[in-house]
Amino acid sequence: MSTTDLPASHAELMDGVYRWQRHIYDLTRKYYLLGRDQLIAGLDVPAGGTVLELGCGTGRNIILAARRYPGARLFGLDISAEMLETATAALAREGLSGRVTLARGDATNFDAKALFGVESFDRVFVSYSLSMIPGWEKTVSAALAALSPGGSLHVVDFGQQEALPSWFRKLLRGWLKKFHVEPREVLRDVLESESARVGASLRFRTLYRGYSWLAVIKIAI
């Protein structure tokens, strides 16, 4: 999918939301985007492996992954040109521009070969992006289609706050709505269905009393 084919309404919305927010995004989000570091630690990238982040945002996660897996080649996709500008600058500051390739695209429908020159990836991860993507179920399907045999998809996102007080859940949902974020109630169901469809295994964990959900889908070799 070329830049001109991107869904204009969502791309423009994300650019509008993050035009100014991107400058303070990492400073503020570290307090409530919980479970991201557990996801990165669990990637277990093979030597010389390839890693794709869908919804790479400011580049925070992909930088941490690059540090943790120095032999890996990393790729990031985001629909927001504003976020990619911030991510590009962050990678340059860290001296990682040569190891990480970024592209603008739609996570629900992307051509990895056209964007990155790579047919498939050993690891794909999505961190707190499914709750912002219209038609997010397609992102799960697209991510699985982009995996190499034996590869895995790693997802962390807002849960349903199952074991937390109802007042907390209400406040959190109200706050998230301001940023067009909607926790996906059927996330586990979709991941289970997609795992069964491709004959993959699913590991699903709840973190912090249901505040976050962390999942790994592993493709058979």
Side-chain angles (χ1 to χ4, degrees):
M1 175 174 283
S2 68
T3 302
T4 55
D5 294 329
L6 292 173
S9 58
H10 187 56
E12 291 170 0
L13 174 63
M14 292 297 97
D15 278 343
V17 169
Y18 291 117
R19 183 161 289 116
W20 304 113
Q21 278 286 318
R22 64 192 174 98
H23 299 294
I24 60 170
Y25 185 92
D26 291 331
L27 179 64
T28 57
R29 267 56 175 188
K30 69 179 181 179
Y31 295 109
Y32 65 90
L33 298 188
L34 308 179
R36 294 181 297 172
D37 293 347
Q38 288 97 317
L39 180 150
I40 293 168
L43 289 175
D44 192 24
V45 182
T50 51
V51 182
L52 169 65
E53 180 180 13
L54 297 176
C56 63
T58 63
R60 181 263 187 194
N61 296 327
I62 212 164
I63 287 171
L64 291 181
R67 290 174 182 164
R68 188 176 185 95
Y69 306 103
R73 291 183 295 147
L74 296 102
F75 305 84
L77 180 76
D78 205 282
I79 202 169
S80 169
E82 298 285 345
M83 283 297 219
L84 287 173
E85 182 179 335
T86 295
T88 299
L91 289 168
R93 287 195 302 271
E94 296 291 331
L96 293 170
S97 299
R99 284 188 55 211
V100 181
T101 303
L102 302 179
R104 191 178 183 209
D106 179 5
T108 68
N109 179 21
F110 61 92
D111 184 336
K113 181 66 173 178
L115 290 170
F116 303 113
V118 176
E119 295 281 0
S120 61
F121 305 89
D122 297 300
R123 303 289 184 267
V124 177
F125 71 95
V126 193
S127 172
Y128 285 95
S129 292
L130 295 181
S131 51
M132 299 192 71
I133 298 174
W136 60 273
E137 299 92 340
K138 295 178 182 178
T139 298
V140 177
S141 299
L144 291 174
L147 284 172
S148 303
S152 54
L153 168 63
H154 302 247
V155 175
V156 66
D157 216 311
F158 291 104
Q160 293 296 298
Q161 299 81 51
E162 306 94 305
L164 292 168
S166 58
W167 62 263
F168 178 86
R169 183 164 55 249
K170 184 176 180 180
L171 285 175
L172 178 64
R173 296 301 179 88
W175 171 253
L176 294 177
K177 191 174 182 180
K178 296 177 184 294
F179 300 98
H180 307 278
V181 176
E182 180 183 354
R184 306 305 186 185
E185 183 178 359
V186 297
L187 176 60
R188 183 169 190 167
D189 294 336
V190 169
L191 295 180
E192 288 178 345
S193 175
E194 286 295 294
S195 298
R197 180 181 65 82
V198 299
S201 63
L202 170 66
R203 288 189 288 113
F204 192 95
R205 295 170 53 197
T206 60
L207 305 176
Y208 312 109
R209 300 174 65 189
Y211 181 91
S212 303
W213 287 343
L214 179 63
V216 179
I217 296 178
K218 185 169 180 60
I219 302 293
I221 298 175

